[in-house]
Amino acid sequence: MANASVVPSGYLQGPPVAPEWLNKGDNAWQMISAALVGMQGMPGLVILYAGIVKKKWALNSAFMALFAFAAVMPCWVLWAYKMSFGHKLLPFWGKAGLAVSQDFLIAQAVLPSTNYKNITQDATLLYPTATMVFFQYAFAAVTVILLAGSVLGRMSIKAWMVFVPLWITFSYSVGAFSVWGGGFLYQWGVMDYSGGYVVHLASGAAGFTAAYWVGPRLREDREEFPPNNLLLSLAGAGILWMGWTGFNGGDPFSANVDSSMAVLNTHICASTSLLVWTCWDVIFFKKPSVIGAIQGMITGLVCITPGAGLVQGWAALVMGIVSGTIPWYTMMVLSKKLPFLQVVDDTLGVIHTHAVAGVLGGALTGLFAHPDLCSLFLPIPKSKGAFYGGRGGVQFWKQLAGACFIIGWNVVATSIILCGIKLLLPLRMTEAELKIGDDAAHGEDAYALIGQGQREKYTQNGKNNDAFQSEDAV
């Protein structure tokens, strides 16, 4: 076996390959978790979106997810990582800075504005900063891809290309620093184990806001938007579900007992939520819906995320029942009654599956977080849910207050970003482009099957626009 202190060839001076502080098990688990989270976005959400939208939007929807996954990375390493997890600039924001130098990336990881340094062995990050940068990048990328689900089927791809880096910079980084990076919500004691607020509530609130500013799909698309390939959607949903093993299992930042608890709770809640959502579909609509099952799976995964390693197994079951019921009601009943939910065209209902489920998860964590489990994860002393002696349910109200900040910031920041882009670029495609879909946006189609219609190439001057005849029009 090689000596851990051997200096690699080519280094005259520098750190060893395996310094004393490196825990190879923690590092391996963290890298695997990062890969699992990354796979939720690419290919998970890419193919989920490709299959769950109308045929003429399959390619555009998949590309929006693919582009976002790539575009986040340079923003992340050039400035956004340190804005999210660096030294404090403001109570809700870190100082921007580069995360690309060798000296920074191979050094032992620390989160400088938190207590995650050397309090105890469990609170020490025993791997290089490069691992942490990659792990947190995957979360940022998935967040903006989830946001895209609200504006599929009409947002201009050029506007989207500008929006992604701006949103990561001015919206995501604020939530990440405030809750995870040592900002004021972290210091106040708001619990978000793995992103119920930072990822899901943020994407739901920002997505709904973006849907308002971009405007609705064509009436014909809103009225009839059948998925073009549900089997493909199920494959994407499966990757999303299994990828959540890393999403929640990696957030103790260590391969420890709390990580195992988080993984088990994740799958307890997701399974329960899917079953409950399906039961409601059967009771009210007489048939189990495959799309409904996917939605129930997602709401369960989102709901458990804020408390995955902080609650007991029985609480994960309760959270699954709640997440399979309340978002089902808001999506299937309230959305048809409340005017503002009808006016804003949230294509995939992200406000229900991520915003509503995220708030539920945060609030229930404020009730069910067990003090012993909190001590395994949170360096904040005496953290516990209201059911375990929290003073007057103070943790529950802290959780709701934290949710209000995340919602408010994302609504305001997303609005400002989109209004700014609108001064330079249209936010949505033209009516002619909306009728055509993928070929108008990309000059390509997702499917080229014999006998499904003739088309002439879409041209910018509109000369051949009416000559396009898609399967949807036949």
Side-chain angles (χ1 to χ4, degrees), residues 421-442:
I421 294 173
K422 192 175 181 179
L423 297 176
L424 303 174
L425 293 169
L427 295 180
R428 57 189 285 115
M429 302 181 199
T430 66
E431 293 297 304
E433 291 170 329
L434 290 174
K435 288 184 178 295
I436 293 169
D438 288 342
D439 186 60
H442 304 282

Side-chain angles (χ1 to χ4, degrees), residues 201-226:
L201 181 54
S203 62
F208 192 77
T209 304
Y212 170 81
W213 289 108
V214 174
R217 290 166 288 171
L218 291 179
R219 177 179 293 182
E220 63 203 54
D221 283 348
R222 290 196 73 178
E223 292 176 351
E224 188 177 0
F225 205 71

Side-chain angles (χ1 to χ4, degrees), residues 59 437-445 455 457-458:
L59 196 64
D438 288 342
D439 186 60
H442 304 282
E444 299 164 314
D445 288 321
R455 70 172 176 84
K457 197 70 175 176
Y458 174 83

Side-chain angles (χ1 to χ4, degrees), residues 75-100 104 110-114 168-170 173-174 176-178 181-183:
C75 304
W76 196 244
V77 297
L78 290 175
W79 64 81
Y81 172 76
K82 287 193 174 180
M83 295 174 76
S84 304
F85 296 97
H87 294 279
K88 183 173 76 171
L89 174 65
L90 298 170
F92 53 86
W93 224 357
K95 296 178 182 178
L98 296 172
V100 292
F104 177 73
V110 297
L111 302 181
S113 293
T114 73
I168 288 294
T169 302
F170 296 106
S173 64
V174 170
F177 185 82
S178 297

Side-chain angles (χ1 to χ4, degrees), residues 91-439:
F92 53 86
W93 224 357
K95 296 178 182 178
L98 296 172
V100 292
S101 70
Q102 171 183 309
D103 291 342
F104 177 73
L105 293 174
I106 66 175
Q108 183 177 4
V110 297
L111 302 181
S113 293
T114 73
N115 292 326
Y116 262 99
K117 296 185 213 176
N118 293 300
I119 300 175
T120 67
Q121 184 70 12
D122 286 337
T124 304
L125 305 177
L126 301 176
Y127 42 78
T129 303
T131 299
M132 178 61 76
V133 172
F134 178 47
F135 181 69
Q136 296 296 348
Y137 150 73
F139 279 79
V142 165
T143 305
V144 75
I145 295 173
L146 293 173
L147 187 162
S150 295
V151 293
L152 298 179
R154 79 278 201 182
M155 187 171 184
S156 163
I157 191 64
K158 294 177 183 177
W160 177 248
M161 292 167 71
V162 177
F163 174 80
V164 170
L166 292 175
W167 191 83
I168 288 294
T169 302
F170 296 106
S171 194
Y172 179 84
S173 64
V174 170
F177 185 82
S178 297
V179 180
W180 285 343
F184 77 104
L185 292 179
Y186 174 90
Q187 301 297 339
W188 194 36
V190 172
M191 299 178 181
D192 185 7
Y193 185 88
S194 193
Y197 285 0
V198 176
V199 175
H200 301 293
L201 181 54
S203 62
F208 192 77
T209 304
Y212 170 81
W213 289 108
V214 174
R217 290 166 288 171
L218 291 179
R219 177 179 293 182
E220 63 203 54
D221 283 348
R222 290 196 73 178
E223 292 176 351
E224 188 177 0
F225 205 71
N228 72 90
N229 194 329
L230 265 182
L231 293 178
L232 191 67
S233 297
L234 282 171
I239 295 171
L240 193 67
W241 187 346
M242 291 298 102
W244 229 285
T245 300
F247 197 98
N248 287 346
D251 257 306
F253 303 138
S254 174
N256 59 21
V257 295
D258 198 41
S259 177
S260 300
M261 192 72 182
V263 170
L264 182 60
N265 280 341
T266 296
H267 296 290
I268 290 173
C269 188
S271 301
T272 304
S273 181
L274 186 154
L275 296 174
V276 170
W277 189 295
T278 300
C279 288
W280 286 121
D281 278 346
V282 171
I283 290 169
F284 283 88
F285 305 118
K286 310 306 179 187
K287 294 179 181 179
S289 166
V290 174
I291 294 178
I294 293 174
Q295 305 282 32
M297 175 204 81
I298 291 172
T299 57
L301 292 167
V302 171
C303 186
I304 193 61
T305 292
L310 307 177
V311 303
Q312 299 184 76
W314 68 264
L317 276 169
V318 173
M319 292 170 79
I321 294 169
V322 174
S323 64
T325 300
I326 294 180
W328 180 91
Y329 179 76
T330 64
M331 179 178 280
M332 307 308 296
V333 179
L334 278 188
S335 64
K336 298 174 175 60
K337 294 182 178 181
L338 297 180
F340 83 97
L341 290 177
Q342 294 176 312
V343 170
V344 179
D345 181 19
D346 181 354
T347 307
L348 299 185
V350 178
I351 190 173
H352 306 285
T353 54
H354 293 275
V356 173
V359 171
L360 283 174
L364 292 172
T365 298
L367 297 178
F368 297 144
H370 194 284
D372 292 344
L373 293 172
C374 290
S375 69
L376 296 176
F377 175 71
L378 295 171
I380 303 168
K382 299 180 181 178
S383 299
K384 55 186 172 182
F387 282 7
Y388 298 96
R391 301 185 310 277
V394 65
Q395 189 63 49
F396 176 79
W397 296 109
K398 282 185 179 182
Q399 296 297 105
L400 293 183
C404 290
F405 173 77
I406 295 296
I407 292 170
W409 185 271
N410 278 277
V411 169
V412 172
T414 303
S415 297
I416 293 172
I417 291 168
L418 287 171
C419 289
I421 294 173
K422 192 175 181 179
L423 297 176
L424 303 174
L425 293 169
L427 295 180
R428 57 189 285 115
M429 302 181 199
T430 66
E431 293 297 304
E433 291 170 329
L434 290 174
K435 288 184 178 295
I436 293 169
D438 288 342
D439 186 60

